[in-house]
Structure formats: C-alpha cells, structure tokens
Amino acid sequence: MQSVGCYHCGTRAHRPYAEENGFSLVKCDGCGLLYVNPRPSDDEITEEMRSGLHRGEVVLDRVGHFIDAKVEGYQSVLADLFEGWPPPSGSWLDVGCGHGEFLVALQTSLEVSPVGLEPCVPKAEAARARGLDVAPTREVSPGSLQALSSLNVFSHLPDPIESLRTWTRWLAPGGLLVLQTGDSACLPARHHHRPFDLPDHLSFANQRIVREILERCGMQVLRRRHYRHA
C-alpha cells in the first residue's frame, strides 16, 4: 500500500468520503477529486490490471465477458457524437478496449481501421478469439494515429495525466480523442453510485477536472455529452 496525493492539483490535504472493501475513498481539499488513499502499490496495480483480479477484503473479478447490448449502445453514442460533423478515417486505437464491444461498433459505424490495447490478458485473449485485433501491449509511433478512444478507463488509471500526455503524443496533428468517464466527484457520498468497486476504480473526477486536465495536456475540447449511468 502507498499513500498518495491528488494527481490533479497536487494537494495532499483531504477528508474522508467513503469506505469500501478495506479501502478509503477521500476527497481532495484543493480540487474535489475523489481518490483511493492509501492505495495498492504501482506493482500491485499493474498485476491486477493484467489479471483482472483486484484484491481487498474480497477479490473483485473484473474479467467479465463480451456484452452484445454494449455494441448497440456504442453505435448510438457514435451517431450522437458525430452528428453533423465528419468522423475521422484511418487509424484508430481503443485503449482499454476490454472484450472489444467498442471496436465492433467502430467497424460497423465508421470508415476506420480500429485496433485495441487491453492490458488485462484474459480480456485481450477473448477479444482476439472473436477475430479482433487486440493486444495487451503495443508499440505506437508518435503522431501515427488519427483517433484514440478510452472509454471508462480514466478512473482506473493511477496517473491519468501521464497517460493522457502519452496518448496525445500518439495522435497526429488534429487527431481526435474520444474519452468517456464519470462526472461524480461533485456528488455527496450519499448520492454517489454504489458500489465504488475499490480498488479497481482508483479515482472519480467530474467534468471540470477532466476538462482542466485535457487542456493541460494540450487538447481542445470540441464536444461534451452526458449519458445517464445504466
């Protein structure tokens, strides 16, 4: 276990927010980010991402399976995002693609060549068994991607800012980032969606925090959409 501060504003002062599965979720006194503190070590986080098993008082198995209904949902989201706006074509990388539902939606909705990056080995293997181009690691050349997506990954990352800076280097000038995450750090604990799934989720942000991080990483926010939690 390691003690950490807020990755967004750097403040180490915080107050208790909630407890779950042997972990504490705290609220940053500086910017309001919710984050797990103390949290598993970096090596433990890497191994848990690889296996899909997250250890606390109970072990959370997050390997899961392909969900057909997600494909239709993602197709609807893509139609909404690109309404009246020409979508990108060419190379598209989906980071944290899971079993590949968004890759299937991309293949059937846009003129792109999508591939997936999924660190959870069982998920990557299951996606490949469906004929999808998914790997647990990839060498990506700077400026080589027309588009990159990361859906429901932000809250699992130990350092989202470092990850976003890497992703922006992978994008070509004018490249597109599609990012999906929760907008819940502004909620009082009694109104937050439960369970938190700690320590699989390491933080919860909101639209202001995410916008500030994106702009810090050199991105321009073009569109924002809110979708109700299932």
Side-chain angles (χ1 to χ4, degrees):
M1 300 285 284
Q2 60 180 333
S3 177
V4 295
C6 174
Y7 59 71
H8 175 42
C9 70
T11 301
R12 298 193 73 89
H14 58 264
R15 56 191 183 276
Y17 184 83
E19 302 281 334
E20 184 185 273
N21 199 24
F23 291 90
S24 297
L25 192 64
V26 301
K27 188 175 186 69
C28 174
D29 285 346
C31 66
L33 179 77
L34 303 177
Y35 62 99
V36 176
N37 188 42
R39 74 183 191 197
S41 69
D42 291 343
D43 287 344
E44 289 172 323
I45 292 171
T46 298
E47 172 55 28
E48 290 174 359
M49 285 184 175
R50 189 198 68 79
S51 67
L53 303 176
H54 302 268
R55 292 169 175 79
E57 292 176 345
V58 299
V59 176
L60 303 181
D61 185 341
R62 289 295 175 263
V63 174
H65 57 88
F66 189 95
I67 300 176
D68 291 290
K70 282 187 176 182
V71 177
E72 183 177 349
Y74 287 143
Q75 289 169 332
S76 177
V77 167
L78 286 167
D80 183 30
L81 283 177
F82 292 109
E83 182 181 7
W85 188 29
S89 60
S91 55
W92 186 312
L93 174 65
D94 187 28
V95 177
C97 67
H99 290 269
E101 293 93 342
F102 191 61
L103 292 174
V104 174
L106 287 170
Q107 289 174 339
T108 55
S109 301
L110 304 179
E111 296 295 327
V112 295
S113 304
V115 298
L117 173 61
E118 175 49 60
C120 179
V121 173
K123 289 182 182 180
E125 291 175 345
R128 286 199 299 273
R130 301 184 71 89
L132 300 171
D133 187 351
V134 175
T137 60
R138 284 189 182 276
E139 291 292 332
V140 183
S141 300
S144 62
L145 299 175
Q146 297 302 314
L148 184 149
S149 52
S150 182
L151 309 186
N152 292 322
V153 172
F154 186 98
S155 62
H156 302 276
L157 299 170
D159 189 344
I161 297 175
E162 179 183 5
S163 296
L164 278 163
R165 284 174 174 158
T166 297
W167 300 345
T168 55
R169 286 196 297 270
W170 291 350
L171 286 169
L176 178 71
L177 170 68
V178 177
L179 179 72
Q180 179 187 25
T181 191
D183 180 16
S184 63
C186 53
L187 297 175
R190 67 182 182 277
H191 292 156
H192 200 288
H193 175 75
R194 307 289 181 106
F196 297 104
D197 289 335
L198 310 183
D200 181 18
H201 290 120
L202 294 170
S203 70
F204 298 93
N206 58 32
Q207 61 176 319
R208 173 185 57 80
I209 291 172
V210 172
R211 174 182 287 272
E212 290 174 356
I213 288 174
L214 289 171
E215 291 175 347
R216 190 190 313 176
C217 294
M219 304 294 288
Q220 178 185 3
V221 178
L222 300 176
R223 283 193 173 176
R224 185 187 70 229
R225 294 287 189 270
H226 274 87
Y227 302 100
R228 186 173 178 83
H229 194 283

